[in-house]
Amino acid sequence: MDWFHCSKCFTKRGSSFAVTSCGHICCEACIISNECSVCGASCCYLTISDEMKPQEKVFFKEPLKLMQSRLEHISQIAVFQQKQMERIIIHLRHMTVELERRLKELTDKGYRQLSELRRENDVLKKHILELKKENAELKKPLSQRRVSPGHLHIDGGQRMTLPVAITSPVTPHSRTGRCVFHSF
Ligand SMILES: [Zn+2]
Ligand SMILES: [Zn+2]
């Protein structure tokens, strides 16, 4: 570590160094009890060793390595999250396929029902038309009705007129009557 040295005497050699709470590094020889030998502030000393806490050790690591390490960690986090996302995407694709299948099924069913209803509607329209014709026919006066063969006239009209037609030859002026007078 090129940057590492005692902030007071600038030595790089020595087995024991300490860092102050005010941020200065001191070799063993430069340490003064309860006071920073560099800036004179009252401080406490922390011995630089492997026993330090991770958040303390990190200040003595190379930034480039720290960045690589952090990047690897960040990359692991990104891969982890991406895998979760991939599972969601696969799930959503399955759901999309299933929903499309159900939609097609319902659409086909809807078209079939529509077609059946149209056919039924056509039949009902024809039926209504027939009923309207029948209704209009029933509203006409009796004499204007269309006659079904030998129905109305036989029952009503012809029976009333027939006696007249039959009785007219049998009048006193008939041939039969005259014959009777001549022969007498
Ligand atoms: Zn020193
Ligand atoms: Zn200091």
Side-chain angles (χ1 to χ4, degrees), residues 20 22-24 36 38-41:
T20 65
C22 54
H24 293 118
C36 175
V38 180
C39 68

Short mmCIF file of all heavy atoms in Angstrom, two decimals, residues 20 22-24 36 38-41, ligand 2:
data_model
loop_
_atom_site.label_atom_id
_atom_site.label_comp_id
_atom_site.label_asym_id
_atom_site.label_seq_id
_atom_site.Cartn_x
_atom_site.Cartn_y
_atom_site.Cartn_z
N THR A 20 -6.30 7.22 14.44
CA THR A 20 -6.99 8.01 15.46
C THR A 20 -8.44 8.26 15.06
O THR A 20 -8.80 8.12 13.88
CB THR A 20 -6.31 9.39 15.63
OG1 THR A 20 -6.46 10.11 14.42
CG2 THR A 20 -4.82 9.24 15.96
N CYS A 22 -9.68 11.03 14.82
CA CYS A 22 -9.72 12.22 13.97
C CYS A 22 -9.16 11.95 12.58
O CYS A 22 -9.04 12.85 11.76
CB CYS A 22 -8.97 13.39 14.65
SG CYS A 22 -7.28 12.97 15.12
N GLY A 23 -8.79 10.66 12.33
CA GLY A 23 -8.43 10.25 10.98
C GLY A 23 -6.95 10.34 10.64
O GLY A 23 -6.62 10.46 9.45
N HIS A 24 -6.12 10.24 11.59
CA HIS A 24 -4.66 10.23 11.32
C HIS A 24 -4.08 8.88 11.68
O HIS A 24 -4.57 8.21 12.59
CB HIS A 24 -3.98 11.35 12.13
CG HIS A 24 -4.38 12.71 11.66
ND1 HIS A 24 -5.05 13.63 12.45
CD2 HIS A 24 -4.22 13.32 10.45
CE1 HIS A 24 -5.28 14.72 11.75
NE2 HIS A 24 -4.77 14.55 10.53
N CYS A 36 -4.04 13.34 19.70
CA CYS A 36 -3.48 13.05 18.38
C CYS A 36 -2.13 13.76 18.24
O CYS A 36 -2.05 14.98 18.47
CB CYS A 36 -4.45 13.52 17.30
SG CYS A 36 -3.79 13.32 15.63
N VAL A 38 -0.61 14.34 15.61
CA VAL A 38 -0.56 15.09 14.35
C VAL A 38 -1.29 16.43 14.50
O VAL A 38 -0.73 17.49 14.24
CB VAL A 38 -1.18 14.28 13.19
CG1 VAL A 38 -1.13 15.05 11.87
CG2 VAL A 38 -0.46 12.94 13.04
N CYS A 39 -2.60 16.37 14.94
CA CYS A 39 -3.39 17.62 14.99
C CYS A 39 -3.64 18.10 16.42
O CYS A 39 -4.20 19.19 16.62
CB CYS A 39 -4.71 17.43 14.26
SG CYS A 39 -5.84 16.29 15.06
N GLY A 40 -3.30 17.32 17.39
CA GLY A 40 -3.41 17.73 18.79
C GLY A 40 -4.79 17.55 19.38
O GLY A 40 -5.02 17.89 20.54
N ALA A 41 -5.75 17.04 18.60
CA ALA A 41 -7.11 16.84 19.13
C ALA A 41 -7.13 15.70 20.12
O ALA A 41 -6.33 14.76 20.01
CB ALA A 41 -8.07 16.56 17.99
ZN ZN B 2 -5.43 14.16 14.46
#
